[in-house]
Amino acid sequence: MDYVMSLARDVIKKRRLIADLAKADFRKRFVGSYFGILWMFVQPVVTVAIYYFVFGIGFRNTNPIEGVPYVLWLVPGIVPWFYFSETLNAGTNCLSEYSYLVKKVVFRVEILPVIKMLSCLMVHVIFLFIMTALYLCFGWPPRLSWIQTVYYTFALTVHALAIVYFTSAVQVFFKDMAQIVGICLQFGMWLVPIMWQEEQFADRSIYPLLCRIIKLNPVYYIIVGYRDSFVLGNWFWQRPTLTLYFWATTACLFLIALKVFKRLRPHFSDVL
């Protein structure tokens, strides 16, 4: 616990340095690119368009909520997933990418995953504004519950950061970790109900078991939370069991990941 508090104090103390490095990391992605930051949004927008045409137009009977266009149901589920997957992919390689900082004795390497996370968060915030504009374009009046996405973004950030502390530390010694993370994210996108909803299987015998399994994934809480905020207007305290489960799981994962990171940290510079 002392290690966690020390890390929190360092992050607060070095917040300006972290912010500057995160901005530099964000800009570095587009060096030498003609279209610059536009490439950050092309792939996600194209992905949403493909899923919309396949599931929303090709399979018209898949609309999970009556009266809600499929694209308005899809976007609040896929936008947080883009943020989650980008944070994991970028964060897993952060120690190798910034090896010159890792080898500096005076630099606290624990802030590198935070830097990567903030760089990805900048893109996510822009997508939140785009998602809000999409709902307004479809004629949906603003809801107070939309503000709740700030809470769910914070929750997803903490959960993703916990995973990144583990994967980034292991990646230094086990180079295949990045590929494993990528494969898990590909499976995870379909295991979490982003393109589909568990209620679609309500008339089948597997429905109770399916609900239990998918709710074990903490990201499920985030996905339904974004949809609660934008589509249904529900609040997070209306899901008390899921809320407690998510934070208990995330807290345990964070402590375990930091313990692994702390144990492996003295050997980073030797391997890199």
Side-chain angles (χ1 to χ4, degrees):
M1 187 58 67
D2 291 339
Y3 181 67
V4 176
M5 297 304 297
S6 173
L7 175 59
R9 286 194 297 267
D10 259 15
V11 170
I12 295 172
K13 183 179 178 181
K14 299 177 181 178
R15 59 187 181 276
R16 290 189 177 180
L17 172 64
I18 293 173
D20 290 340
L21 290 174
K23 292 176 185 177
D25 183 88
F26 180 79
R27 291 192 296 265
K28 185 177 67 175
R29 304 184 193 187
F30 314 109
V31 173
S33 173
Y34 286 108
F35 294 100
I37 194 173
L38 288 177
W39 288 118
M40 182 65 69
F41 305 100
V42 168
Q43 183 177 358
V45 170
V46 170
T47 302
V48 171
I50 291 173
Y51 288 140
Y52 169 67
F53 281 107
V54 172
F55 293 98
I57 297 178
F59 302 100
R60 293 181 180 272
N61 60 342
T62 60
N63 277 14
I65 301 178
E66 186 176 352
V68 179
Y70 182 78
V71 67
L72 294 186
W73 181 86
L74 172 66
V75 170
I78 206 168
V79 164
W81 181 261
F82 284 150
Y83 173 44
F84 179 70
S85 60
E86 184 185 5
T87 301
L88 262 61
N89 281 322
T92 298
N93 293 298
C94 68
L95 298 181
S96 299
E97 182 178 346
Y98 289 98
S99 59
Y100 59 93
L101 291 177
V102 175
K103 294 176 182 179
K104 288 189 175 182
V105 179
V106 296
F107 188 84
R108 183 157 188 177
V109 296
E110 286 87 344
I111 69 174
L112 289 176
V114 179
I115 292 169
K116 277 295 183 181
M117 177 273 297
L118 287 177
S119 177
C120 297
L121 181 60
M122 294 177 191
V123 180
H124 181 62
V125 170
I126 297 174
F127 267 111
L128 288 179
F129 282 109
I130 294 174
M131 181 168 61
T132 302
L134 178 65
Y135 272 75
L136 295 176
C137 290
F138 270 81
W140 282 52
R143 287 180 170 181
L144 186 60
S145 59
W146 289 4
I147 302 175
Q148 190 177 219
T149 53
V150 175
Y151 160 74
Y152 283 111
T153 298
F154 171 74
L156 181 57
T157 297
V158 175
H159 184 73
L161 193 58
I163 298 175
V164 166
Y165 270 115
F166 176 82
T167 58
S168 61
V170 175
Q171 166 70 13
V172 174
F173 304 92
F174 182 62
K175 301 302 181 183
D176 294 335
M177 176 55 70
Q179 284 70 32
I180 293 174
V181 169
I183 292 173
C184 290
L185 288 172
Q186 288 181 2
F187 277 107
M189 188 172 186
W190 294 100
L191 294 177
V192 179
I194 296 175
M195 262 67 70
W196 55 278
Q197 195 175 32
E198 65 269 24
E199 281 78 4
Q200 293 176 242
F201 299 90
D203 58 342
R204 303 184 185 181
S205 59
I206 64 169
Y207 177 66
L209 178 61
L210 179 65
C211 286
R212 294 192 190 97
I213 292 174
I214 64 174
K215 288 179 181 179
L216 290 176
N217 185 347
V219 181
Y220 170 83
Y221 172 72
I222 303 297
I223 301 301
V224 298
Y226 270 72
R227 286 182 174 142
D228 280 347
S229 302
F230 269 85
V231 180
L232 302 176
N234 297 333
W235 296 89
F236 72 90
W237 57 76
Q238 294 176 254
R239 297 180 181 271
T241 304
L242 271 179
T243 299
L244 290 174
Y245 171 76
F246 172 84
W247 284 111
T249 304
T250 300
C252 292
L253 181 61
F254 211 108
L255 292 175
I256 293 171
L258 283 180
K259 186 174 182 179
V260 172
F261 194 98
K262 182 182 179 182
R263 181 71 62 85
L264 298 178
R265 182 186 58 183
H267 308 288
F268 288 161
S269 58
D270 297 333
V271 178
L272 293 174

